[in-house]
Amino acid sequence: MNPVVLGVDLGSRNTGFGVLQEEGERFRHLSSGRIRAGSRRPLEARLRQIYDALVGLIQDHQPQALALEEIFLAANVHSAFILGQVRGVVLLAAAQAGVPIFYYPALVVKKAVVGYGQATKAQVQLMVEQLLGVKTDCQHAADALAVGLCHFFHHRGPKI
Amino acid sequence: MNPVVLGVDLGSRNTGFGVLQEEGERFRHLSSGRIRAGSRRPLEARLRQIYDALVGLIQDHQPQALALEEIFLAANVHSAFILGQVRGVVLLAAAQAGVPIFYYPALVVKKAVVGYGQATKAQVQLMVEQLLGVKTDCQHAADALAVGLCHFFHHRGPKI
């Protein structure tokens, strides 16, 4: 079985996911999209939806790694608190399934995928689509696939 | 069955819990303590421990409500992010078990228990111990019992 990675792009409204499999020098796109938790329902209902979706993705694809972008904590303490809650249930789902978690700073992800740490989101999406030969349906899915690709670039060869 | 409330005092190292049951004009202390997640292990392992402990407490005591202190988000964005992750798994455990969640600002908790919004932590602990006729083994447990008591004071009578 070739290694599979699940990339996740955290968000309180939309959490992107991307599942990739390494195949020799190439990568196969298995699945991607976003968990649309919205913003109208109580936070606990949204957290449950995100958790359930993650549990389902892990069961379906049995990834050997979960890759996340290391969040840049800007000055906004309120969004850090909300995003932390989403991150909590994502980490829980991975830990319960025994899937190791890897973190990559945004700059490292961009450099890995586009070759340039200051690349725009549109450039990242374009490169992800070219590398995988698929159209991504949203920025969240593209960002999740990008961090998944970044993980593979950093774990080429026998170790994953 | 008299109503049972599970009070929780969130913390990344120590999460306090307190389980109370209303009995007429009094409150019965069923259980309290802290989940000592420490700070050395990976965050996901600590989140899992906190989640598992909460799931166990909910199963054992079947509370009709989970009461939390509404966190005051100070300037420290990093601690908000860490605390957010703990809060995420606590809310998830409650949501999965169908337990409604109630939030109370610290000032409201202190006012309910001590009668004075600017009360110190030591005063809160003392009043909790007097009201319940128990010795609490740590501040985290006392804070969790305090928010549980606050919930009962705000939901006296038929509604909980």
Side-chain angles (χ1 to χ4, degrees):
Chain A
M1 253 301 260
N2 288 325
V4 172
V5 65
L6 166 58
V8 174
D9 177 56
L10 296 173
S12 59
R13 295 185 182 193
N14 291 287
T15 288
F17 64 89
V19 189
L20 296 172
Q21 188 166 34
E22 200 173 3
E23 285 190 327
E25 291 298 301
R26 309 192 62 131
F27 306 101
R28 204 169 130 215
H29 172 272
L30 297 182
S31 176
S32 67
R34 61 176 157 162
I35 307 155
R36 302 171 75 157
S39 60
R40 291 191 191 169
R41 290 177 309 142
L43 181 62
E44 59 268 25
R46 291 185 269 151
L47 293 173
R48 194 178 177 188
Q49 180 189 350
I50 295 166
Y51 170 82
D52 287 346
L54 258 287
V55 168
L57 284 166
I58 291 171
Q59 278 176 350
D60 290 350
H61 299 285
Q62 303 282 325
Q64 280 75 43
L66 183 123
L68 282 178
E69 207 169 277
E70 196 47 280
I71 293 168
F72 171 70
L73 291 176
N76 191 331
V77 68
H78 182 72
S79 17
F81 189 53
I82 296 285
L83 219 50
Q85 292 172 77
V86 175
R87 194 181 195 254
V89 303
V90 168
L91 298 192
L92 176 71
Q96 286 175 326
V99 180
I101 305 161
F102 298 83
Y103 304 94
Y104 300 96
L107 191 134
V108 171
V109 174
K110 288 176 175 180
K111 209 164 159 93
V113 175
V114 186
Y116 172 59
Q118 305 305 320
T120 63
K121 279 191 168 283
Q123 287 174 314
V124 170
Q125 186 163 12
L126 194 69
M127 276 305 291
V128 163
E129 294 183 344
Q130 287 189 351
L131 283 163
L132 298 172
V134 292
K135 269 278 174 200
T136 53
D137 63 350
C138 65
Q139 190 65 57
H140 304 282
D143 286 348
L145 290 167
V147 71
L149 280 170
C150 172
H151 175 75
F152 276 142
F153 292 143
H154 280 80
H155 289 81
R156 284 250 185 205
K159 64 179 170 132
I160 179 164
Chain B
M1 253 301 258
N2 287 327
V4 172
V5 66
L6 167 57
V8 175
D9 177 55
L10 295 174
S12 59
R13 296 184 183 195
N14 291 287
T15 288
F17 63 88
V19 190
L20 295 172
Q21 187 165 35
E22 200 173 3
E23 285 190 326
E25 290 298 300
R26 308 193 64 129
F27 306 102
R28 206 171 128 213
H29 171 273
L30 298 183
S31 175
S32 66
R34 60 176 157 162
I35 307 157
R36 301 170 76 156
S39 60
R40 292 189 191 170
R41 290 177 308 141
L43 180 62
E44 59 269 25
R46 291 185 270 151
L47 293 174
R48 195 178 177 188
Q49 181 189 350
I50 295 165
Y51 171 81
D52 287 346
L54 258 287
V55 168
L57 283 165
I58 292 171
Q59 278 175 350
D60 290 350
H61 298 285
Q62 303 282 327
Q64 279 76 45
L66 184 123
L68 282 178
E69 206 170 274
E70 195 49 278
I71 293 168
F72 171 69
L73 291 176
N76 191 331
V77 68
H78 182 72
S79 19
F81 189 52
I82 296 286
L83 219 50
Q85 292 172 76
V86 175
R87 193 181 196 254
V89 303
V90 169
L91 299 191
L92 177 70
Q96 286 175 327
V99 180
I101 304 161
F102 298 84
Y103 304 94
Y104 301 96
L107 192 134
V108 172
V109 174
K110 288 176 175 181
K111 208 162 163 98
V113 175
V114 187
Y116 172 57
Q118 305 305 319
T120 64
K121 279 189 167 283
Q123 287 174 313
V124 170
Q125 187 163 10
L126 194 70
M127 276 306 290
V128 163
E129 293 183 344
Q130 288 190 348
L131 283 164
L132 297 173
V134 292
K135 269 277 174 201
T136 53
D137 64 348
C138 66
Q139 190 66 57
H140 304 282
D143 287 348
L145 290 167
V147 70
L149 281 170
C150 173
H151 175 75
F152 276 142
F153 292 142
H154 281 80
H155 289 81
R156 285 248 185 206
K159 64 178 169 132
I160 182 164

